[in-house]
C-alpha cells in the first residue's frame, strides 16, 4: 500500500446543505459531526454544474478559467451560436473558438507536473465530467467516453453502461472504491455523483423521489468513506472531501428572454447573432457580436427594469461576480428568488430563463444557476489530513477545494483564486 498523501473528493451534485437530515442522509449527518464542516460554503456564478466543475478543478472563478456556465455562445467562424457546454463535442468547440479549453491549469495538470496522477469518475454531463481535466493530464472515466493521459481513448464498457440516477451512481461508486482507490491509489481521485441533481430536475424538491435520491447519494458517500478508512485507518494520510457543487431552488416561472428582447427591438430575431442569450437556469449570460458597441448597455438597462430580474451585471460589474469582462459575454443576470415553501416544505422559489437547447419543462422542479440563497448553499465536509472536527463559520467557496487538496499533497497553489481552508477551528 502506498504511503504517500492522497486526496479523495466526492461531489453529490446539487445536494443543498439544509437538506442533509438524519432521516434522508444518515451517514452525512453523522459525518458532519466528526468532520470539519463549512457552514457558509458557496457556489460560483453561474451556479451551474459545468462552471462549478471547472472551478473545483482549477481553484479559480469562471473569470479566470473561462467556462462561463452550462451554455455559452461561441463564434466558430459564422457568428455567435448558442452551445451546450454539456455536449460531448463542446471541449473541442471551445478550443476552436478560443484557442484553448480552460484558461488555467487543473488539479490533474498540476499533479502531472509533479509526476502524480489524478483520476476522475463522473456520472454527470460530458461537459462537467471532461472539464475536470479537459486536456488529458490524468484519467477521466465517463459514460460518453473515457480518456487517459494525452486524451488517449480508453476501452471502458463499464463507464459506457452507466445511466444517470442511483443505479449508475452506485455502480460507479463500487468501481471507484475497488479499482480506483484500492488498486490504483492515485494522488487525487474525484467521484461526481449524478444524484440528487438528476432527480431534483424532474421531481419536486423534498418529494419522496427526491428524498430517495438524497438517501442514495448518502449511501454512495458511505461506501467511499469506509474504503478511505480501510486504506488509511489513522485518518491522516488521506484527505477526504465531501461536498456538492450548488443547491437548488424550486422553479416558479419560466421567462422567454429571447422573445422579450425581440419584442423590445433589442434583438434582430430568433437565432440572430447580434445578441445571444445563454440560458443558465436561474441565471442568464448574454453574448454580443459587438462587445464594445452600445447594445450591451441598452440591454442591461432594459433588464434592470424587469421585476423577474434581481441582479444585472454588465461590463465592469462582471468582475464583482467572478466573471470576465474581456469576452463577448458582456451582461449577466440572476433571476428573482423568494423564500416560499414548496408543497413538500422545502424553502425557496426562483424564475428561470427558457432553455432553447434542452426545451424541458421545469416548473415545480429544482433548478439552479443564479445567486439565490438556496442554490448558493452547497455543503462541504473535510476529514483527515489534520482537519480538526467542528463547524467553521467562515465564508468558503468551491474554489477553496483545489488549494486545500494541493496543500495536503505539498504542491504549490498560490496562483489560484481560492485559498487552503483552515485545519483548526477558529
Ligand atoms: Zn451540479
Amino acid at each position: 500500500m502506498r504511503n504517500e498523501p492522497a486526496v479523495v473528493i466526492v461531489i453529490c451534485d446539487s445536494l443543498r446543505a439544509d437538506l442533509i437530515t438524519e432521516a434522508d442522509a444518515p451517514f452525512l449527518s453523522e459525518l458532519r459531526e466528526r468532520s470539519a464542516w463549512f457552514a457558509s460554503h458557496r457556489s460560483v456564478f453561474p451556479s451551474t454544474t459545468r462552471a462549478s466543475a471547472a472551478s473545483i478543478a482549477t481553484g479559480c472563478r469562471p473569470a479566470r478559467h473561462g467556462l462561463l456556465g452550462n451554455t455559452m455562445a461561441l463564434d466558430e467562424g459564422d457568428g455567435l451560436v448558442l452551445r451546450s457546454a454539456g455536449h460531448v463535442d463542446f471541449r473541442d468547440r471551445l478550443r476552436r473558438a478560443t484557442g484553448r479549453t480552460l484558461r488555467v491549469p487543473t488539479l490533474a495538470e498540476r499533479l502531472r507536473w509533479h509526476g502524480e496522477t489524478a483520476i476522475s469518475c463522473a456520472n454527470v454531463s460530458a461537459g462537467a465530467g471532461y472539464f475536470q481535466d479537459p486536456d488529458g493530464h490524468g484519467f477521466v472515466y465517463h459514460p460518453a467516453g473515457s480518456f487517459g493521459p494525452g486524451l488517449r481513448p480508453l476501452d471502458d464498457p463499464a463507464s459506457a453502461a452507466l445511466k444517470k440516477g442511483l443505479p449508475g451512481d452506485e455502480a460507479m461508486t463500487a468501481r471507484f472504491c475497488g479499482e480506483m482507490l484500492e488498486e490504483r491509489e492515485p494522488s487525487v481521485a474525484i467521484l461526481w455523483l449524478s444524484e440528487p441533481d438528476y432527480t431534483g430536475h424532474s421531481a419536486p424538491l423534498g418529494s419522496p423521489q427526491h428524498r430517495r435520491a438524497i438517501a442514495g447519494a448518502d449511501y454512495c458517500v458511505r461506501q467511499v468513506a469506509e474504503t478511505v478508512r480501510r486504506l488509511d485507518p489513522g485518518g491522516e494520510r488521506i484527505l477526504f472531501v465531501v461536498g456538492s457543487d450548488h443547491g437548488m431552488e424550486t422553479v416558479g416561472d419560466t421567462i422567454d428572454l429571447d422573445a422579450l428582447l425581440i419584442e423590445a427591438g433589442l434583438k434582430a430575431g430568433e437565432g440572430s447573432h447580434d445578441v445571444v442569450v445563454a440560458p443558465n437556469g436561474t441565471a442568464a449570460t448574454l453574448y454580443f457580436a459587438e462587445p464594445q458597441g452600445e447594445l450591451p448597455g441598452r440591454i442591461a438597462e432594459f433588464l434592470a427594469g424587469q421585476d423577474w430580474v434581481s441582479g444585472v451585471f454588465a461590463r465592469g460589474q462582471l468582475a464583482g461576480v467572478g466573471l470576465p469582462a474581456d469576452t463577448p459575454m458582456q451582461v449577466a443576470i440572476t433571476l428573482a428568488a423568494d423564500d416560499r415553501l414548496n408543497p413538500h416544505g422545502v424553502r425557496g422559489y426562483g424564475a428561470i430563463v427558457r432553455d432553447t437547447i434542452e426545451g424541458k419543462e421545469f416548473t415545480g422542479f429544482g433548478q439552479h444557476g443564479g445567486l439565490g440563497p438556496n442554490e448558493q448553499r452547497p455543503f462541504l465536509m473535510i476529514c483527515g489530513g489534520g482537519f480538526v472536527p467542528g463547524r467553521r463559520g467562515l465564508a468558503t467557496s468551491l474554489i477553496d477545494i483545489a488549494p486545500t487538496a494541493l496543500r495536503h499533497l505539498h504542491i504549490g497553489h498560490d496562483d489560484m483564486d481560492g485559498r487552503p481552508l483552515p485545519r483548526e477551528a477558529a
Side-chain angles (χ1 to χ4, degrees), residues 11-15 47-50 52-53 70 124 128 192-194 197 201 244-248 368:
I11 301 295
C12 308
D13 204 301
S14 269
L15 179 50
S47 53
T48 58
T49 303
R50 295 150 206 168
S52 298
N70 271 359
V124 288
W192 199 298
L193 303 172
S194 71
D197 183 82
H201 281 302
S244 53
D245 49 347
H246 48 74
M248 277 185 162
H368 50 91

Side-chain angles (χ1 to χ4, degrees), residues 104-128:
V104 287
T106 59
L107 273 175
E109 179 171 358
R110 290 169 187 269
L111 259 62
R112 190 187 54 83
W113 296 343
H114 295 83
E116 310 275 345
T117 301
I119 292 180
S120 170
C121 298
N123 193 25
V124 288
S125 74

Side-chain angles (χ1 to χ4, degrees), residues 5 31 107 121 189 193 229 276 288 306 324 340 344 360 405 407:
L31 189 69
L107 273 175
C121 298
L193 303 172
R229 178 163 284 195
V276 176
F288 295 87
Q306 304 291 315
R340 280 175 296 148
H344 300 279
K360 256 170 34 187
R407 178 186 61 190

